[in-house]
Every structure is written in structure tokens, then in C-alpha cells.
Amino acid sequence: MVAAAMLSVAALGAQPGKLDPRMMPRIGQVDERFQSYNVEMVEVTGGRFWAPYKTAAIETQVEKPSVQGLDPNMFRTRPPIDLGNPRLRALAAALGPAYMRVSGTWANSTYFYDSDEPAPAAPPPGFGGVLTRAQWRGVMEFAKAANAKVVTSFAISAGVRDQNGSWTPTQAQKLLTYTSSIGGSIAAAEFFNEPNLADRGGAPNGYDATAYGRDLRVFMPFVRKAAPGLLVLGPGSVSEAGLLANYPGPKSDAMLAAAGPGLDAFSYHFYGGVSKRCAGQGNASGQTTPDAALSEDWLSRTERDARFYAALRDRFEPGKPLWLTESGETACGGNPWASTFTDTFRYVEQLGRLAKFGVQVVMHNTLAASDYALVEEETLDPRPSYWAAVLWRRLMGTIVLDAGTSPAPYAHVFAHCLAGQSGGVALLVVNTDRDASREMNIATQSERYTMTSSAGLLSNRVQLNGQEVALGKDGRVPELRGAPAPSGQISLPAASITFLRFPDAANAACRSDGEGPLRGTAQATSLPRGSAEAGRRE
């Protein structure tokens, strides 16, 4: 307790109540691709994905639902995403370097058609969709243009199983071989998406922890030989600490015990609730509202699940990096307000809180599909959370600092070394008070980037330092200039998100020539945990 108190005082500086970025100590480090995103496999192939709230599902009668056990009317058939679109590539490139995860529930039963001939009109028996060579080549080309590394998963449905029901690597081998043949690479992969929801994810009937362990004992030696540089992530389960705590599927602890150790990084998925689409699916207790979007209960749920999965990691894969490979406003495609400024608070708080906790990578679902996407899928207009993502990418470096105790109520402060500036510091300050501004003393001058919305939290437009932010006429992401902020007291508007840039902080922990020992967290490491280099050293 004494050491923690001394650390807090040091972070605040000599004068109580004043934040001093020059004195903040280093407590951790995240992957350089910490802020990343998902492009669902069903976006790449085309198929039935979550229907936007502004439109009804096109089909009202189908033989079977798109995801087992869910109402088919929650979905809409969509064509494949145009990954060659220059505007989409430019929007993604502004978030690079990043990981681009191409996976999701639909990937569990996707058939890779390893031919340049026209694809079959329907997938073979045991599969639910078809991925062509041209589509996968488009993924690799997009990733290269966007400075992204690809993360994926493999099919585990009946179509890849032998007569005894055992998983076979034939499909996975074809995908890996073709990827290599076109000069692409897969940086990391989960065996399959969300095995704790196996019954809704295309797995054979009765799939359990024992079956998972049996499959992993086939998968691991195969992938080590077929793709030696690929980081194996797992188990990739979702929300077992809260939303799905009582779901009757395989549990991660049982699956990990059955599989044995050997992962390169421990991955999990997190949703704090389910969207309105799933309200009639027996998930009423998992609902949330716009009024709760800035509450501590809602914002802290990401820490609850991180603690749960970190404890499992420590039991079964001690020392391995922790990756959050899928997360969004709510499951089932997000709520109607997921596209508004309301959800930007969850977005930045999740990044700030998990970086402090030691999570190495956070992948947002999705880049440009459904209501929780960073980009509106039809117009490719950036949503408010996209602009926050750009500011995070440009300002928040990989070294995490201790900002100490916030000197103002409702103001949450997160600190990192400034990206690209030796000795510099960046602060993220979130005022979650909807009704009142908050005052804070800063020890030195800075550049200020304050996000607000004059149209209210439920607007899909956002202002930066009082001016509406938008793409340039050519569709390019603008520079996003800060405003000078002198030292001393600054005012944080009600319901605002502020980044502060301190290029001249001369913080010793942020000097490029000084990599001292880390302090303050068990997860701290001298390497970006979860990077390819760190994974190979584990």
C-alpha cells in the first residue's frame, strides 16, 4: 500500500492535484498493433450477416437460420465487401500498423475453394459458405495496403471431419499453401471461433471439451509444421465472466485442460451485453441502454472479463501474452446507438483500461460492417469511434505509463509515451459526467484534441476542438490538428474525450535511448508481448 501511494504521488508530481506527464513512471508495454480490427469472414465471402436497424432482413423465410439457434430475420444477405475500394483502404491505412482478423462464427464452416475456376453455386455438404482464391487474395492485398497483418481461424464443421468425427487439416493446408503461393502470410490464428458456443458455431452435435482437446492434438503439430512462424492463439472463447457465464457449452477451463499447454498467446472475446436484435433470444438480462453507456458499471465490464481470462491464462498458459481478438459495443451486431458518439466512450475506455491491465492486442468488431463498425458500410463515412481510433493511433505509443489517481471525479486518465517522439507523453482524459464540465491542473503546456458532439451523444457526428471533423474532399483522412493548451487549469467539457500531447515532456521512461525496468504490473515485460518476436521467445 505504501509503494502504491508513493507511485501515485510521483505520477501527479510535487503539487497535489496536478498531473505532471514528466514524472509518470512506466508500468507496461503493448504490441505496436495493439489497436486492431476485424473484417468478418462472411464479409469477404458474402452471405447473411447482421441486418442494420435501418433496414429489414431481405429474406423472411429460410430453411435454417444463419447462426444455429438464432432468428433468421435478424440477418441480411450482403454481397462480398470490396476490399479493393481505395477509400476503405485509406481509412484502414490510417489505423496501421494493425492486425486484421478475418474470422467470426461464419468462418467455422467456410469452405476454401482452391481453384481459379468459377466457384460452386452452393458449398459442399458440411459447409455453410465458400471462400474463393480471388477473395482471399483480396484479403492479402488489402492487408498489405493497410499495413495490417492477417489473423484468422479455420473450418471445424462436419465438412472437415473424417468418418470418426475427427478434425482433418486438408482445408487448412490448402488455405496456408495458397496464402504462401501468392506471397501472403498469416500472422496468427485461433483454431476456431468461440468454441464455448460450439453448438451455435457449426461444430458437430454434442461437441464438448474432450472433443476440443482431441482436435487440438491434431491441429497443433500440423500447424507447427505447415506454418512455423504462425502464432497460435486460443481458446478464443467469449464472455464467460458475465454475459455467457451460465451458457451450457464447453467451458474454457475444461477445454484448456483437455488440450494441454502450447499456445503462443491466450486469446478471448468480450461483449458486455447483447444488442436489441437478440432481445427475444432469452438474453434480456444482457441488454443495455444509451443511458448506461457512460456508467462505471458498463465501462468496467471489460476489466472484469480481462481478469477472468488472465486467471485462466495463469493456470494453463502462464506467462503467455493476453489478446482480446474480438470486441464491440454489444454482441449480435451492436445496438442502434453503437454507431454514435455514445459508444466512443466505451471504445477509448476499453483501450485505456486494457493497456494498463496488460492486454497486448484489442481487435474491434468490425471495421466496416453492421452497426458497431468504425466505418459506415454503405457510404464509407467514418463514425465517431473511428476518429478516436485515429487519434489513439497517432498519439498513444506502446509504452504504458501510470497517470496516478485522477484529481477530478468522473475524469478517467490514461497515459502512454507519445507515439514517434522520444521523451514525449500522451494523455487520454475522459469526462463521463453528462451534465458538468470538470477541471484539471496540468503541470506543463500541451496540444489539446477534445472530442465533443454539439448534436448530443446519440449523434453520428463529432467535433474536434469545436470543429466538425470529416474526411477531406479527396476522401483522405485529415491531419487532425491540436490546439495549444497552456499549463495550469484546463476545463473538460461534459461528456467529452480529450487527448493531450506533450512532445517536450522529457519523460525518462519514454526516452528512446533508455529502456529501464518496468514497474507496477505483473504483466509488464521488456518486449511487446504478443508480437511475433515475443511469441517465438516464449
Side-chain angles (χ1 to χ4, degrees):
M1 292 295 292
V2 174
M6 291 177 64
L7 187 63
S8 179
V9 171
L12 291 171
Q15 184 174 344
K18 179 175 287 189
L19 285 172
D20 191 344
R22 300 168 298 187
M23 304 295 294
M24 293 176 179
R26 173 178 171 172
I27 57 171
Q29 187 168 357
V30 296
D31 194 289
E32 67 167 349
R33 300 171 190 270
F34 171 72
Q35 179 184 244
S36 293
Y37 52 84
N38 280 254
V39 174
E40 291 270 352
M41 182 66 81
V42 72
E43 294 181 66
V44 176
T45 63
R48 290 170 60 78
F49 194 55
W50 306 113
Y53 289 101
K54 63 184 179 182
T55 63
I58 292 177
E59 295 90 353
T60 57
Q61 293 182 348
V62 293
E63 293 183 2
K64 56 184 178 181
S66 298
V67 176
Q68 186 175 344
L70 296 181
D71 181 357
N73 292 315
M74 295 190 295
F75 302 94
R76 183 187 71 174
T77 297
R78 53 168 297 143
I81 189 172
D82 181 8
L83 292 176
N85 185 291
R87 178 161 168 152
L88 182 60
R89 288 189 175 192
L91 290 167
L95 304 181
Y99 289 108
M100 170 186 173
R101 178 175 175 266
V102 182
S103 180
T105 302
W106 287 261
N108 291 344
S109 56
T110 294
Y111 173 76
F112 177 57
Y113 182 62
D114 192 22
S115 171
D116 291 324
E117 298 296 319
F127 294 95
V130 176
L131 171 68
T132 68
R133 281 182 172 183
Q135 289 167 343
W136 191 245
R137 185 169 60 249
V139 167
M140 292 297 152
E141 292 171 350
F142 183 91
K144 182 178 180 180
N147 191 10
K149 291 185 177 182
V150 173
V151 176
T152 192
S153 62
F154 300 101
I156 51 81
S157 59
V160 297
R161 296 186 177 273
D162 62 19
Q163 60 184 5
N164 297 318
S166 298
W167 183 84
T168 63
T170 304
Q171 274 281 294
Q173 180 67 74
K174 288 180 178 181
L175 186 66
L176 291 170
T177 299
Y178 179 70
T179 301
S180 179
S181 74
I182 59 174
S185 65
I186 297 172
E190 292 163 327
F191 172 53
F192 78 99
N193 181 81
E194 297 175 357
N196 64 312
L197 294 178
D199 62 335
R200 292 191 174 186
N205 292 335
Y207 194 87
D208 58 13
T210 300
Y212 180 86
R214 183 176 62 245
D215 286 349
L216 259 288
R217 287 191 291 275
V218 176
F219 173 75
M220 292 298 286
F222 154 73
V223 79
R224 294 301 187 202
K225 182 178 180 180
L230 183 149
L231 296 177
V232 179
L233 315 176
S237 297
V238 58
S239 297
E240 292 171 282
L243 183 63
L244 296 172
N246 298 317
Y247 191 80
K251 303 299 183 184
S252 284
D253 55 356
M255 288 188 285
L256 291 163
L263 299 173
D264 296 309
F266 191 105
S267 67
Y268 72 100
H269 300 177
F270 164 72
Y271 291 97
V274 295
S275 71
K276 291 176 64 177
R277 290 183 189 84
C278 289
Q281 303 295 312
N283 295 308
S285 62
Q287 301 298 301
T288 188
T289 66
D291 291 338
L294 274 62
S295 69
E296 179 62 19
D297 172 68
W298 179 249
L299 298 175
S300 66
R301 290 186 188 184
T302 191
E303 295 174 287
R304 175 200 63 196
D305 279 40
R307 287 191 295 269
F308 175 87
Y309 285 110
L312 284 182
R313 182 271 312 270
D314 293 344
R315 283 176 58 194
F316 294 101
E317 297 282 0
K320 299 299 174 65
L322 195 62
W323 288 30
L324 173 54
T325 50
E326 183 179 317
S327 188
E329 187 264 346
T330 48
C332 303
N335 280 305
W337 54 87
S339 62
T340 72
F341 189 44
T342 303
D343 189 50
T344 307
F345 290 81
R346 176 210 57 82
Y347 183 85
V348 296
E349 289 263 349
Q350 184 174 51
L351 293 176
R353 290 171 187 245
L354 294 186
K356 287 181 66 177
F357 186 81
V359 174
Q360 291 301 296
V361 178
V362 177
M363 300 182 184
H364 177 79
N365 208 26
T366 62
L367 176 63
S370 201
D371 297 275
Y372 49 22
L374 297 174
V375 176
E376 208 285 328
E377 60 185 286
E378 294 181 359
T379 64
L380 296 185
D381 288 332
R383 288 169 168 164
S385 291
Y386 175 83
W387 296 116
V390 171
L391 287 170
W392 180 284
R393 165 54 58 202
R394 294 182 180 179
L395 299 174
M396 306 292 275
T398 61
I399 295 174
V400 186
L401 304 174
D402 184 8
T405 303
S406 173
Y410 294 96
H412 303 165
V413 185
F414 307 96
H416 285 224
C417 292
L418 181 63
Q421 180 70 52
S422 178
V425 171
L427 298 186
L428 165 63
V429 187
V430 185
N431 181 8
T432 60
D433 192 323
R434 295 170 178 265
D435 303 313
S437 62
R438 295 290 166 176
E439 308 301 318
M440 186 172 291
N441 283 325
I442 306 292
T444 185
Q445 64 185 8
S446 65
E447 293 177 5
R448 175 175 180 155
Y449 304 77
T450 294
M451 299 179 67
T452 56
S453 179
S454 60
L457 288 174
L458 292 176
S459 172
N460 59 10
R461 296 184 177 274
V462 70
Q463 294 177 321
L464 183 64
N465 294 335
Q467 299 294 319
E468 186 169 316
V469 61
L471 294 178
K473 293 182 179 179
D474 57 359
R476 297 195 179 191
V477 179
E479 184 177 344
L480 301 182
R481 297 180 181 274
S487 62
Q489 185 167 286
I490 66 170
S491 179
L492 306 168
S496 65
I497 296 168
T498 297
F499 291 86
L500 296 171
R501 179 176 181 268
F502 302 87
D504 302 320
N507 186 310
C510 298
R511 291 200 307 264
S512 58
D513 60 349
E515 296 290 332
L518 306 186
R519 295 173 284 173
T521 62
Q523 294 82 13
T525 175
S526 58
L527 277 175
R529 299 296 300 278
S531 66
E533 181 182 2
R536 285 192 291 269
R537 293 192 186 184
E538 290 293 339

